[in-house]
Structures are given as structure tokens and as C-alpha cells.
Amino acid sequence: MPSLWSKLNSINMPVLFVNGCEDKKYSIVLTKCLQKVDGSRLVKIPDCGHNIHLEKPREFIETLKLFLE
């Protein structure tokens, strides 16, 4: 798959990035994404790794609900 980094700055809608605090690799990636997508937000879920929706389903759903309101 080709890299899409150069297209991130063309996103013109609210974007929510969700990251598990223990997922160090994607913490770095998502921090870079925040810089490229204006108005984006990053929520870090404590005591969680990469599969947030499986590890912390309640926290994940609540995070999405708050964002969508």
C-alpha cells in the first residue's frame, strides 16, 4: 500500500485518534498524525495496548460517544 502521509493534511473534518497508553509505537505515529490533521484529537486510554476495543471496550465506546456528540 502506498504511503498516504502527504494526504493527511487534506482532511477537513473532525478526526479522533484513540491510543492505548501501553502502545508505544502507535503513540509516536498518532502524535505525528495530530500535527498533520488540523482540529484532530488524541485520546489515550490508560492500562491498554493496541487493541483498545477488545481490551477496554467500555472506555472505547464512551470515548467514541463523547466525540460523536
Side-chain angles (χ1 to χ4, degrees):
M1 181 171 160
S3 174
L4 299 174
W5 279 101
S6 65
K7 299 194 184 276
L8 286 176
N9 61 355
S10 65
I11 296 174
N12 58 1
M13 65 180 67
V15 174
L16 174 66
F17 297 109
V18 183
N19 179 239
C21 285
E22 295 175 14
D23 186 355
K24 303 301 181 197
K25 176 182 177 182
Y26 282 92
S27 288
I28 294 167
V29 171
L30 293 178
T31 299
K32 292 178 183 177
C33 286
L34 279 175
Q35 297 169 357
K36 296 210 170 256
V37 182
D38 286 339
S40 61
R41 269 183 58 203
L42 172 61
V43 173
K44 294 189 173 203
I45 306 295
D47 303 316
C48 189
H50 185 73
N51 293 312
I52 304 157
H53 61 292
L54 296 175
E55 295 176 45
K56 299 279 186 159
R58 286 190 183 132
E59 291 88 339
F60 182 71
I61 289 168
E62 286 304 313
T63 299
L64 292 179
K65 281 182 180 178
L66 287 171
F67 177 71
L68 294 173
E69 287 179 347

